[in-house]
Amino acid sequence: MLLLDDRLQQWLGGVGNDARLRPEWIAALAMLNAGLWLGGSRWAANAVLGLFALIQLCQLSHIAAIGRPLTPLDVAMIPRELRDILGAGRAEFAAHWPTLLAGGIPYALLFALYNLGLRRLPLPRARWALLAVAALLASQPYKASRQSMVRFLPQAGHSSLSNALRAFSYGAVNLGGVRIDRGAPAYRPYRVEAAPAAAPPQAIWLVIFDSTRLDRWRLAGHARDTTPNFSRWVRQDQARWHRGIAGAVSTRASLTLLLNGVREPGNLQQLRSHDSNLFRLAKRAGYRTYWLSTQYRDDLLQQFDAASIDVARSREDAPAQVNAHGDEAIFDQLYAAAPARGERRLMVLLLRTAHLPFEDAYRRQPPRYVRWPDSVDAGAHDRDAARRNAYDNAIAYQDDLAARLYARFEQMGEQGLFVVTSDHGQMLGEDGVWGHNVLTPHVAQVPMLVRTRGPGQAPLAGNGEWLAHHQLFLALAARIGYRIDNPNAVPGRYFLQGSDVFGDNLYREARATGTQLQLGAPTALRQSR
């Protein structure tokens, strides 16, 4: 019965569950069950079954929605991302409700079997058997305390319960608030020097869209016309577009690295010092700083040096407005922030658009944004095609939204830089995987577009050139009037990091060649002891 949930999920069409019968896992489960029966304690049996049922609910749901088993970093993100997880779950419930049957039926039978059987069957009782069960369950956390995270990543063909126990064990031991200060790599501090620019911009708008991958922009070769405004700007030589490299796979991690200007995995001293923080540098240079977002703030701003942000508005400040209007609420935030005409300002805008569920970006908007059928009933070939269509619809809405933001930029008389990029990319069913918390080229590659306005405002790079987030940071810092010397940098070498930049983390080296981005092998910050 402990293996039945995998069979049921596979039978019900669960893509991403490749569990196969493995003799060593069957033997381990047989020992576990024998220990519970011989122990004779319904309390112990219910505790173990309850633990397994809870982690399997998370595991099977993740496989159904995302197409792959949980990793330790996914487990660590559950408390921080609970709102998004529940929101996506509600949106995807109609498609994935059979997952509840796949997990519910076996565990309902197991609870009934143990609670009825332990009371009625005349079996020999040996309390020491419960110690054997405890030792068996503790073996994974013990290994997790001594081995690298790479050893606890999902294993192909393994039971989903086996992979879940590994992921939750490592997450509980190493990622539950534990930091890597003692094992952090040693880096030399950055040197920050004033270097006044010849024509400092009066305003910099950094517009960051969520979960936007490079190859879904028409500019980067997508077959569909998802970016008519951006394409027109570039065609008329009003803007330049670039191939971006994200610093990390989650919003929190990526923006922490981008806005603090940190490049290396595990450079905690530089992250925490905020010495190279973009908001802090802008404040020193006489800019007024703004953070405007239609996403939740939580403690995100603390990672960006909240003391250096003059005006901060997020979803928490007007939840009803954002719930009703989505990303359109950013215009009300711009109005409420009421920047004085002509002041020097750095404005960072974080919007949602292409985040799962994709149709949430435009569902409150006119039907014209549904350019491609986003459901099977509407004409999509299948559910996966509908999801990709919804993603492209969200990108087309993003293009329109960015054009209207630039119109506001002009209406306000801004002179400077209007920059569009994304925090990270997105998997759209490649290898059966959806979402973004994976270290893959699709998540690493983000689009970037820069439009300038006013005398002396030169572009950052040429069309189609690679521009990593760290390079973007250096360019913006230079325009504000600061030169950042990173003595740890190796030219052409960047990193795609996992979701926990302050703790134990995974990362892959990134190098661009031509139009291709190559990633190295996954590496863990904390190695085996």
Side-chain angles (χ1 to χ4, degrees), residues 4 19 34 312 368:
L4 183 59
R368 69 174 183 273

Side-chain angles (χ1 to χ4, degrees), residues 78-109:
I78 290 174
R80 295 200 302 263
E81 303 287 335
L82 189 58
R83 275 189 298 248
D84 283 345
I85 292 170
L86 293 176
R90 286 192 295 270
E92 300 281 330
F93 181 78
H96 297 309
W97 65 266
T99 296
L100 300 179
L101 295 180
I105 291 173
Y107 280 96
L109 293 173

